[in-house]
CSV table of all heavy atoms in Angstrom, one decimal:
chain,number,residue,atom,x,y,z
A,116,LEU,N,30.2,21.3,16.9
A,116,LEU,CA,30.0,21.1,15.5
A,116,LEU,C,30.3,19.7,15.1
A,116,LEU,O,29.5,19.1,14.4
A,116,LEU,CB,30.8,22.1,14.7
A,116,LEU,CG,30.6,22.1,13.2
A,116,LEU,CD1,29.2,22.3,12.8
A,116,LEU,CD2,31.5,23.1,12.5
A,121,VAL,N,28.3,14.3,13.2
A,121,VAL,CA,28.2,12.9,13.4
A,121,VAL,C,26.8,12.5,13.8
A,121,VAL,O,26.3,11.4,13.3
A,121,VAL,CB,29.2,12.5,14.6
A,121,VAL,CG1,29.0,11.0,15.0
A,121,VAL,CG2,30.6,12.7,14.1
A,141,THR,N,34.1,14.2,4.2
A,141,THR,CA,34.0,15.2,3.1
A,141,THR,C,33.1,16.4,3.5
A,141,THR,O,33.4,17.5,3.2
A,141,THR,CB,33.4,14.5,1.9
A,141,THR,OG1,34.3,13.4,1.5
A,141,THR,CG2,33.4,15.5,0.7
A,150,GLY,N,32.4,27.6,5.8
A,150,GLY,CA,32.0,28.3,7.0
A,150,GLY,C,30.5,28.1,7.3
A,150,GLY,O,29.8,27.3,6.6
A,194,LEU,N,4.9,40.4,11.6
A,194,LEU,CA,3.6,39.8,11.7
A,194,LEU,C,3.3,39.3,13.1
A,194,LEU,O,2.4,38.5,13.3
A,194,LEU,CB,3.6,38.5,10.7
A,194,LEU,CG,3.7,38.8,9.2
A,194,LEU,CD1,3.9,37.5,8.5
A,194,LEU,CD2,2.5,39.6,8.7
A,234,PRO,N,-1.7,26.3,24.7
A,234,PRO,CA,-1.5,27.8,24.6
A,234,PRO,C,-0.8,28.3,25.8
A,234,PRO,O,-0.1,29.4,25.7
A,234,PRO,CB,-2.9,28.3,24.6
A,234,PRO,CG,-3.7,27.1,24.0
A,234,PRO,CD,-3.1,25.9,24.6
A,235,ASP,N,-0.9,27.7,27.0
A,235,ASP,CA,-0.3,28.2,28.2
A,235,ASP,C,1.0,27.6,28.6
A,235,ASP,O,1.6,27.9,29.6
A,235,ASP,CB,-1.3,28.1,29.4
A,235,ASP,CG,-2.6,28.8,29.1
A,235,ASP,OD1,-2.6,29.9,28.5
A,235,ASP,OD2,-3.6,28.2,29.5
A,273,GLY,N,-1.9,45.7,-23.2
A,273,GLY,CA,-1.5,46.2,-24.5
A,273,GLY,C,-0.5,45.3,-25.3
A,273,GLY,O,-0.1,45.6,-26.4
A,285,ILE,N,-2.2,25.5,-15.5
A,285,ILE,CA,-0.8,25.6,-15.2
A,285,ILE,C,-0.6,26.5,-13.9
A,285,ILE,O,0.1,26.1,-13.0
A,285,ILE,CB,0.0,26.2,-16.4
A,285,ILE,CG1,0.0,25.2,-17.5
A,285,ILE,CG2,1.4,26.5,-15.9
A,285,ILE,CD1,0.7,25.7,-18.8
A,296,GLU,N,4.9,23.7,-0.6
A,296,GLU,CA,6.2,24.2,-0.1
A,296,GLU,C,6.0,25.0,1.2
A,296,GLU,O,6.8,24.9,2.2
A,296,GLU,CB,6.9,25.1,-1.1
A,296,GLU,CG,7.4,24.3,-2.3
A,296,GLU,CD,7.9,25.3,-3.4
A,296,GLU,OE1,7.8,26.5,-3.2
A,296,GLU,OE2,8.3,24.8,-4.5
A,297,PHE,N,4.9,25.7,1.3
A,297,PHE,CA,4.6,26.4,2.5
A,297,PHE,C,4.3,25.5,3.7
A,297,PHE,O,4.8,25.7,4.8
A,297,PHE,CB,3.3,27.3,2.3
A,297,PHE,CG,2.9,28.0,3.6
A,297,PHE,CD1,3.5,29.1,4.0
A,297,PHE,CD2,1.8,27.6,4.3
A,297,PHE,CE1,3.1,29.8,5.2
A,297,PHE,CE2,1.4,28.2,5.4
A,297,PHE,CZ,2.0,29.3,5.9
A,299,GLN,N,5.7,22.6,4.1
A,299,GLN,CA,7.0,22.2,4.4
A,299,GLN,C,7.8,23.2,5.3
A,299,GLN,O,8.5,22.9,6.2
A,299,GLN,CB,7.8,21.8,3.2
A,299,GLN,CG,7.3,20.6,2.4
A,299,GLN,CD,8.0,20.4,1.1
A,299,GLN,OE1,8.9,21.1,0.7
A,299,GLN,NE2,7.6,19.3,0.4
A,306,ARG,N,9.9,21.9,13.7
A,306,ARG,CA,11.1,21.1,14.1
A,306,ARG,C,12.1,22.0,14.8
A,306,ARG,O,12.7,21.6,15.8
A,306,ARG,CB,11.7,20.4,12.9
A,306,ARG,CG,10.9,19.2,12.5
A,306,ARG,CD,11.7,18.3,11.5
A,306,ARG,NE,11.9,19.0,10.2
A,306,ARG,CZ,11.1,19.0,9.2
A,306,ARG,NH1,10.0,18.3,9.2
A,306,ARG,NH2,11.4,19.7,8.1
A,332,PHE,N,4.0,-0.5,3.9
A,332,PHE,CA,2.8,-0.6,3.1
A,332,PHE,C,1.6,-0.4,4.0
A,332,PHE,O,0.6,0.2,3.7
A,332,PHE,CB,2.7,-1.9,2.3
A,332,PHE,CG,3.6,-1.9,1.1
A,332,PHE,CD1,4.7,-2.8,1.1
A,332,PHE,CD2,3.3,-1.1,0.0
A,332,PHE,CE1,5.5,-2.9,0.0
A,332,PHE,CE2,4.1,-1.2,-1.1
A,332,PHE,CZ,5.2,-2.1,-1.1
A,343,MET,N,3.1,6.3,-4.7
A,343,MET,CA,4.0,5.2,-4.9
A,343,MET,C,3.7,4.6,-6.3
A,343,MET,O,4.6,4.2,-7.0
A,343,MET,CB,3.9,4.2,-3.9
A,343,MET,CG,4.5,4.6,-2.5
A,343,MET,SD,6.2,5.1,-2.7
A,343,MET,CE,7.0,3.7,-3.3
A,357,LYS,N,18.1,-4.9,-14.4
A,357,LYS,CA,18.9,-5.7,-13.6
A,357,LYS,C,18.7,-7.2,-13.8
A,357,LYS,O,19.7,-7.9,-13.9
A,357,LYS,CB,18.6,-5.3,-12.1
A,357,LYS,CG,19.2,-4.0,-11.7
A,357,LYS,CD,19.1,-3.8,-10.2
A,357,LYS,CE,19.7,-2.5,-9.7
A,357,LYS,NZ,19.7,-2.3,-8.2
A,365,HIS,N,24.7,-15.1,-16.2
A,365,HIS,CA,24.7,-16.5,-15.7
A,365,HIS,C,25.1,-17.4,-16.9
A,365,HIS,O,24.6,-17.3,-18.0
A,365,HIS,CB,23.3,-16.9,-15.3
A,365,HIS,CG,22.9,-16.4,-13.9
A,365,HIS,ND1,21.9,-16.8,-13.2
A,365,HIS,CD2,23.5,-15.4,-13.2
A,365,HIS,CE1,21.8,-16.1,-12.1
A,365,HIS,NE2,22.8,-15.3,-12.0
A,399,ASP,N,7.0,-18.8,-15.4
A,399,ASP,CA,5.6,-18.5,-15.3
A,399,ASP,C,5.4,-18.0,-13.8
A,399,ASP,O,5.8,-18.5,-12.9
A,399,ASP,CB,4.7,-19.6,-15.5
A,399,ASP,CG,4.7,-20.1,-17.0
A,399,ASP,OD1,5.1,-19.3,-17.8
A,399,ASP,OD2,4.4,-21.3,-17.2
A,428,PHE,N,8.8,-12.4,-17.8
A,428,PHE,CA,8.2,-13.7,-17.4
A,428,PHE,C,7.5,-14.2,-18.7
A,428,PHE,O,7.1,-13.5,-19.6
A,428,PHE,CB,7.2,-13.5,-16.3
A,428,PHE,CG,7.8,-12.7,-15.1
A,428,PHE,CD1,7.2,-11.5,-14.8
A,428,PHE,CD2,8.9,-13.2,-14.4
A,428,PHE,CE1,7.7,-10.8,-13.7
A,428,PHE,CE2,9.4,-12.4,-13.4
A,428,PHE,CZ,8.8,-11.2,-13.0
A,450,ALA,N,-6.6,-1.9,-15.5
A,450,ALA,CA,-7.0,-0.9,-14.4
A,450,ALA,C,-6.5,0.5,-14.8
A,450,ALA,O,-5.3,0.6,-15.0
A,450,ALA,CB,-6.4,-1.4,-13.1
A,451,PRO,N,-7.3,1.5,-14.8
A,451,PRO,CA,-6.9,2.8,-15.0
A,451,PRO,C,-6.0,3.4,-13.9
A,451,PRO,O,-6.2,2.9,-12.7
A,451,PRO,CB,-8.2,3.6,-15.2
A,451,PRO,CG,-9.2,2.8,-14.4
A,451,PRO,CD,-8.8,1.4,-14.5
A,477,THR,N,-10.2,-21.3,2.4
A,477,THR,CA,-11.1,-21.5,1.3
A,477,THR,C,-10.4,-21.0,0.0
A,477,THR,O,-10.7,-21.5,-1.1
A,477,THR,CB,-12.4,-20.8,1.6
A,477,THR,OG1,-12.2,-19.4,1.9
A,477,THR,CG2,-13.1,-21.4,2.8
A,484,ALA,N,-8.8,-26.2,-6.9
A,484,ALA,CA,-9.9,-26.7,-7.6
A,484,ALA,C,-10.2,-26.1,-8.9
A,484,ALA,O,-10.5,-26.8,-9.9
A,484,ALA,CB,-11.2,-26.6,-6.7
A,494,THR,N,6.4,-23.0,-12.9
A,494,THR,CA,5.6,-21.9,-12.2
A,494,THR,C,6.3,-21.5,-10.9
A,494,THR,O,6.6,-22.3,-10.0
A,494,THR,CB,4.2,-22.3,-11.9
A,494,THR,OG1,3.6,-22.8,-13.1
A,494,THR,CG2,3.4,-21.1,-11.4
A,500,GLY,N,0.1,-11.6,1.3
A,500,GLY,CA,-0.9,-11.4,2.4
A,500,GLY,C,-0.2,-11.5,3.7
A,500,GLY,O,1.0,-11.8,3.8
A,506,TYR,N,-9.1,-16.5,12.6
A,506,TYR,CA,-9.3,-17.7,13.4
A,506,TYR,C,-10.0,-18.8,12.6
A,506,TYR,O,-10.6,-19.7,13.2
A,506,TYR,CB,-10.0,-17.4,14.7
A,506,TYR,CG,-9.2,-16.5,15.6
A,506,TYR,CD1,-9.6,-15.1,15.6
A,506,TYR,CD2,-8.1,-16.9,16.3
A,506,TYR,CE1,-8.8,-14.2,16.4
A,506,TYR,CE2,-7.4,-16.0,17.1
A,506,TYR,CZ,-7.7,-14.7,17.1
A,506,TYR,OH,-7.0,-13.8,17.9
A,553,GLU,N,9.7,-11.3,4.8
A,553,GLU,CA,9.1,-10.0,5.2
A,553,GLU,C,9.3,-9.0,4.1
A,553,GLU,O,10.3,-8.9,3.5
A,553,GLU,CB,9.9,-9.5,6.5
A,553,GLU,CG,9.4,-8.2,7.0
A,553,GLU,CD,10.2,-7.6,8.1
A,553,GLU,OE1,10.1,-8.1,9.2
A,553,GLU,OE2,11.1,-6.7,7.9
A,561,ARG,N,11.7,-4.6,-3.8
A,561,ARG,CA,12.7,-4.5,-4.9
A,561,ARG,C,13.8,-5.5,-4.7
A,561,ARG,O,14.3,-6.2,-5.6
A,561,ARG,CB,13.2,-3.1,-4.9
A,561,ARG,CG,14.3,-2.9,-6.0
A,561,ARG,CD,14.7,-1.5,-6.1
A,561,ARG,NE,15.3,-1.0,-4.9
A,561,ARG,CZ,14.9,0.0,-4.2
A,561,ARG,NH1,13.9,0.7,-4.5
A,561,ARG,NH2,15.6,0.4,-3.1
Side-chain angles (χ1 to χ4, degrees):
L116 180 59
V121 171
T141 306
L194 299 172
D235 302 322
I285 294 177
E296 292 173 2
F297 175 76
Q299 293 173 359
R306 284 191 293 271
F332 284 113
M343 290 303 303
K357 286 189 176 182
H365 283 194
D399 292 338
F428 312 117
T477 56
T494 308
Y506 299 102
E553 180 185 283
R561 180 176 62 237

